[in-house]
Amino acid sequence: MFTPFFYTLQERKVPVSITEWMILMEALSKGCINNLNEFYYLARAILVKSETHFDQYDIAFQEYFNGIAPPLDFTEELLSWLTDPQNRPQLTPEEIAAIKKMDIEELMKEFEKRLKEQKERHDGGNYWIGTGGTSPFGHSGYNPQGILVGGPGGMRSAVRIAEARNFRNYRSDMTLDVRQIKVALKQLRQLNRVGLEDELDLDRTIDATCKNAGELEFKWRRPRKNSIKLLLIMDAGGSMEPYANLCSQLFSAANSLSHFRSFKYYYFHNCPYDVLYSDIYQRKGENIERLLKVLEPDYKVIFVGDACMAYSELVDRYGDLYFHGYQKMSGLDRLRQFKLHFTHCVWLNPETSALRNYPTVQMVAKLFPMYDLTIDGLNMAVKKLVTKR
Amino acid sequence: MTQKHFDQFKGSSDYVISDALKNAVNVSIVLQRPLLVRGEPGTGKTLLAHSIAKSLGKKLIVWNIKSTTKAAEGLYVYDTVQRLNDSRFGDRDVSEIKHYIKLGKLGQAFNSPQQEILLIDEIDKADLEFPNDLLNELDEMSFYIPETNETISAKQRPIVIITSNNEKELPDAFLRRCIFHYIEFPDPQLMEDIIRVHFPDIKNALLKDAMESFYSLRKIGDFRKKPSTSELIDWIQALMASGLDGKIKDGEIPFLGTLIKKETDINYYVSHYVRRKPGSRDYNVYGN
């Protein structure tokens, strides 16, 4: 029953397994549901195990039970264009002012609404708008408010609930918030026995007591603690301005996680040269040569930056845009030094668009494994950092 | 199985529940699988188990998970140190190992003659491997004690409710065996029901003002921790006790400290939204 739905879900990248599908079949055979509405919740409760996949589930559900291909990929493409900070300069000042007033969620809704209006003019109306309600502006089916008007409980159809896509904001490939970053960073751990001997070692205690002819003798051992040391080096250059918020989230997640043995952070402009800054505004710097001497090679290094710069900035010995003067070596050579000194380095790049093909990005990516600054990318980077070379 | 059997849980008078959650609970009861509940802090994950216990008239066993909790502790603890001690001083018969086996919360739930409700609270607080260590025990509802060569198996499979704050990713193998529900933040309609359950004689005007202020606070995206249901309920209680209304005047909110708990959030709010009166330097977050 519903077997094609299983494949629709897989197509939409909802991680469903046979085990879960069998549980659903079991539930159906026990008569757990009366209507499609209940089926929507039942299948979701059994098949989907994370709110981050609810959105994909909603899309798959619409696709399967509505029998029409959703025009959403197109919509999402446009949405991502809209949220991409690189595109903002092309808007008029009035539009920018309007965007600043709305938060991103409202913005998306507004955009979808407009997209829908446009469709109606072009196509003369289709299913989506037909069921959506009377006004093309208000309750067009996508709009969560539109759903609420439909009446409580059983009145609304499951497809309409799916259409509302209330869980869009939980998608893991789109959102990054501090807690999610923490979850990812918590995987950075290597447990070693350190500290005071204050844990009772039962096996050795029993052994010692027996050897002592039953006279109690306690043996203690050191508790296991995380021995990971983290070095976060972030680009604070002008081209990173659109991602300032994202970077500060990453920073606050790493900073508030207390489980690292040591956590250090530095900034650079576009590319690290002779100095890394501990405070970019006051230009408080730390000489890299000194840093590489005092920091042990087992620090895990995360670079964050778009790696997008003029060719000369990377390879020229005098490439520093902000400090014209004598430098010991080019930015690229500095990066090579890092690679040689530290055993584990990764580069996180918030820039996911076509700029990733930029020559300097490619050169940096040859030096360090480069990942997107998304939850998925961060997870991969963390895995890379804890594996043996 | 008949419809009557399926709709076992209908919610209790002091806990307002959405249809989706009610379904999820009933499915997990019928399929005898653990229900994993996730959601923002303060959306009533833990209270759900209490409500189920109350409505079905069953005993609730709560297993609070801490970062140091180990899976084996939930099954049983073999108190070797006590036994060693007794053998040294000869207080008790040490040849009977049974005396030194103490059943954990999971073991108690299995061992009880009636069906019990087991709440495993905040499972994500424990070590990453914790859920995996419980896989078989939750599947089979039985475990083996090597020390006494005994198998404890559930006389009545308990209804298992597991809550998680998503601090750690749970392992896939564990997730596959659970029924999952994500408690969304209540919409204003549901929120009104929830408040009325807690304060049956609340005045309409106060409710309206308080809800308006609350949802406008939640819209501010820059808070580290947004105010949640439990904070709203505390706040309304404070408002009712003091006789104030919940209106925001010049950005000032009475008892702001009950709504916003983090110092950084309060500072952010005060600096961005509160219009300073000339002469007043400090904003008292706990009074008005």
Side-chain angles (χ1 to χ4, degrees):
Chain A
M1 225 187 325
F2 299 121
T3 315
F5 183 45
F6 179 72
Y7 292 103
T8 314
L9 285 171
Q10 288 209 324
E11 225 170 79
R12 283 287 161 194
K13 302 266 188 298
V14 184
V16 268
S17 69
I18 302 284
T19 326
E20 283 149 335
W21 192 253
M22 294 313 288
I23 299 173
L24 177 65
M25 292 300 118
E26 190 192 334
L28 289 179
S29 69
K30 284 189 173 166
C32 288
I33 55 159
N34 296 320
N35 52 39
L36 189 59
N37 205 356
E38 282 176 25
F39 177 79
Y40 170 84
Y41 288 121
L42 175 79
R44 197 178 75 183
I46 294 175
L47 300 175
V48 191
K49 295 300 154 62
S50 168
E51 68 274 18
T52 51
H53 293 123
F54 278 4
D55 189 44
Q56 284 114 304
Y57 173 82
D58 281 353
I59 294 174
F61 194 89
Q62 281 175 64
E63 205 174 291
Y64 183 74
F65 288 97
N66 235 357
I68 58 159
L72 287 160
D73 283 342
F74 171 64
T75 316
E76 252 153 36
E77 206 174 287
L78 284 169
L79 276 176
S80 67
W81 181 87
L82 197 72
T83 51
D84 187 349
Q86 292 286 337
N87 298 317
R88 282 207 184 160
Q90 297 168 22
L91 299 174
T92 64
E94 294 86 43
E95 277 171 321
I96 291 174
I99 285 169
K100 275 188 184 148
K101 261 186 227 151
M102 292 188 268
D103 64 359
I104 198 74
E105 201 180 328
E106 271 175 56
L107 186 68
M108 284 185 169
K109 272 182 208 151
E110 178 67 26
F111 182 73
E112 281 180 6
K113 242 158 58 186
R114 278 188 209 166
L115 192 73
K116 210 149 285 168
E117 281 171 58
Q118 215 173 17
K119 249 196 177 164
E120 198 174 44
R121 277 208 294 274
H122 281 291
D123 309 329
N126 62 19
Y127 176 84
W128 302 77
I129 294 161
T131 52
T134 47
S135 158
F137 283 99
H139 316 289
S140 42
Y142 267 128
N143 198 328
Q145 275 88 351
I147 292 296
L148 290 175
V149 176
M155 292 289 284
R156 42 175 154 153
S157 83
V159 178
R160 287 284 297 283
I161 302 170
E163 249 177 51
R165 296 187 55 201
N166 285 327
F167 292 93
R168 179 172 35 213
N169 289 344
Y170 297 105
R171 285 182 75 134
S172 67
D173 48 349
M174 290 168 84
T175 49
L176 261 173
D177 68 32
V178 177
R179 202 192 61 204
Q180 284 176 307
I181 300 171
K182 274 192 198 167
V183 171
L185 285 179
K186 268 202 176 164
Q187 291 168 33
L188 267 180
R189 54 171 203 166
Q190 242 164 29
L191 295 172
N192 287 348
R193 295 200 176 275
V194 285
L196 279 177
E197 293 191 338
D198 55 357
E199 208 178 72
L200 183 67
D201 188 342
L202 203 55
D203 290 343
R204 277 175 57 225
T205 302
I206 293 175
D207 266 5
T209 306
C210 288
K211 276 185 190 143
N212 223 6
E215 196 77 27
L216 267 187
E217 180 162 345
F218 290 109
K219 292 280 173 195
W220 305 90
R221 65 181 166 203
R222 303 173 203 280
R224 279 145 57 94
K225 287 219 177 93
N226 195 0
S227 63
I228 291 266
K229 293 178 274 186
L230 184 67
L231 176 61
L232 187 64
I233 305 177
M234 306 211 271
D235 186 354
S239 58
M240 288 290 286
E241 196 70 18
Y243 309 107
N245 199 22
L246 195 61
C247 291
S248 80
Q249 281 179 334
L250 177 71
F251 171 77
S252 67
N255 199 21
S256 63
L257 266 187
S258 52
H259 86 156
F260 299 118
R261 208 172 108 204
S262 159
F263 170 64
K264 293 195 183 297
Y265 58 93
Y266 292 100
Y267 300 95
F268 61 90
H269 275 302
N270 286 4
C271 187
Y273 300 102
D274 284 2
V275 172
L276 284 179
Y277 300 99
S278 53
D279 187 330
I280 201 99
Y281 298 107
Q282 297 183 14
R283 299 236 131 203
K284 254 200 246 160
E286 189 85 67
N287 195 307
I288 288 185
E289 309 226 309
R290 196 188 150 264
L291 270 183
L292 292 182
K293 277 200 190 92
V294 292
L295 296 180
E296 297 92 342
D298 59 345
Y299 265 89
K300 313 278 180 189
V301 185
I302 300 181
F303 285 97
V304 182
D306 57 359
C308 225
M309 57 197 118
Y311 189 68
S312 64
E313 281 180 81
L314 186 60
V315 298
D316 228 8
R317 190 164 152 193
Y318 304 104
D320 192 346
L321 277 181
Y322 297 85
F323 181 75
H324 298 282
Y326 178 74
Q327 280 161 14
K328 283 193 176 144
M329 57 182 83
S330 73
L332 192 64
D333 286 336
R334 278 291 174 210
L335 290 175
R336 280 204 191 102
Q337 271 195 324
F338 274 95
K339 191 184 165 77
L340 279 176
H341 182 74
F342 296 105
T343 52
H344 291 83
C345 304
V346 292
W347 189 291
L348 291 174
N349 197 333
E351 180 62 71
T352 48
S353 65
L355 283 173
R356 282 291 279 275
N357 297 325
Y358 208 71
T360 55
V361 183
Q362 299 278 326
M363 286 167 77
V364 172
K366 262 186 203 153
L367 268 184
F368 303 112
M370 193 179 275
Y371 302 95
D372 293 346
L373 185 49
T374 60
I375 280 297
D376 294 342
L378 190 60
N379 275 325
M380 282 192 280
V382 163
K383 255 182 212 142
K384 186 82 190 168
L385 283 179
V386 291
T387 46
K388 294 213 169 67
R389 280 213 295 185
Chain B
M1 198 159 285
T2 58
Q3 188 63 30
K4 213 170 137 196
H5 251 93
F6 175 66
D7 271 342
Q8 284 188 29
F9 173 62
K10 292 192 176 67
S12 58
S13 59
D14 55 357
Y15 187 81
V16 181
I17 189 171
S18 69
D19 280 349
L21 178 55
K22 198 168 73 191
N23 270 344
V25 172
N26 284 321
V27 166
S28 92
I29 295 174
V30 169
L31 297 180
Q32 302 189 323
R33 279 174 192 278
L35 174 68
L36 172 65
V37 188
R38 216 146 65 182
E40 267 186 58
T43 40
K45 296 185 291 290
T46 307
L47 281 177
L48 172 70
H50 290 270
S51 160
I52 296 173
K54 202 170 166 194
S55 111
L56 299 184
K58 293 184 192 301
K59 209 182 116 197
L60 178 70
I61 297 179
V62 183
W63 185 15
N64 280 311
I65 307 296
K66 299 180 193 114
S67 61
T68 51
T69 310
K70 301 220 164 52
E73 287 167 21
L75 307 176
Y76 71 95
V77 178
Y78 173 31
D79 197 346
T80 11
V81 177
Q82 181 71 51
R83 187 159 175 246
L84 276 174
N85 189 56
D86 286 358
S87 78
R88 170 73 179 78
F89 298 104
D91 290 349
R92 269 192 281 179
D93 180 13
V94 285
S95 61
E96 190 66 86
I97 298 181
K98 250 191 183 168
H99 291 158
Y100 302 99
I101 301 278
K102 286 173 188 144
L103 286 182
K105 299 288 184 187
L106 202 60
Q108 286 170 24
F110 287 177
N111 216 17
S112 155
Q114 294 100 34
Q115 187 182 38
E116 314 250 328
I117 291 170
L118 174 67
L119 168 67
I120 304 180
D121 209 7
E122 310 199 39
I123 195 167
D124 52 331
K125 284 254 165 31
D127 191 73
L128 285 171
E129 289 306 315
F130 178 87
N132 273 341
D133 295 346
L134 283 179
L135 276 187
N136 197 42
E137 282 72 17
L138 286 176
D139 245 11
E140 312 264 320
M141 295 275 180
S142 74
F143 61 91
Y144 174 67
I145 306 179
E147 283 88 350
T148 55
N149 197 16
E150 250 184 319
T151 303
I152 305 266
S153 52
K155 298 187 171 87
Q156 296 275 338
R157 285 176 79 101
I159 298 170
V160 184
I161 312 289
I162 302 169
T163 72
S164 159
N165 277 326
N166 209 9
E167 276 183 21
K168 289 192 187 89
E169 225 37 91
L170 297 170
D172 288 345
F174 177 77
L175 290 175
R176 271 201 291 279
R177 287 163 170 84
C178 297
I179 308 293
F180 173 73
H181 185 81
Y182 180 81
I183 299 190
E184 278 176 88
F185 194 79
D187 54 25
Q189 184 70 46
L190 191 63
M191 185 61 92
E192 226 181 285
D193 292 347
I194 293 170
I195 294 172
R196 283 191 193 282
V197 163
H198 284 268
F199 309 104
D201 45 359
I202 187 172
K203 291 197 182 70
N204 281 335
L206 172 63
L207 178 66
K208 199 173 142 272
D209 290 343
M211 294 264 291
E212 235 167 57
S213 311
F214 176 72
Y215 277 92
S216 67
L217 262 189
R218 269 191 66 86
K219 268 196 196 136
I220 300 173
D222 292 335
F223 283 150
R224 291 274 171 84
K225 188 197 173 302
K226 289 184 177 183
S228 66
T229 315
S230 55
E231 273 118 30
L232 174 64
I233 287 168
D234 288 349
W235 185 53
I236 289 181
Q237 196 163 20
L239 288 179
M240 283 172 73
S242 66
L244 294 165
D245 61 12
K247 270 194 191 134
I248 303 182
K249 289 177 219 103
D250 289 345
E252 286 200 26
I253 298 177
F255 311 112
L256 181 63
T258 52
L259 277 175
I260 306 174
K261 302 284 173 65
K262 295 218 171 197
E263 208 186 323
T264 46
D265 288 348
I266 289 183
N267 290 342
Y268 175 82
Y269 180 81
V270 171
S271 63
H272 283 75
Y273 292 90
V274 177
R275 210 173 298 156
R276 290 280 168 90
K277 283 184 206 119
S280 71
R281 289 183 62 196
D282 286 325
Y283 182 61
N284 179 7
V285 292
Y286 296 105
N288 81 329

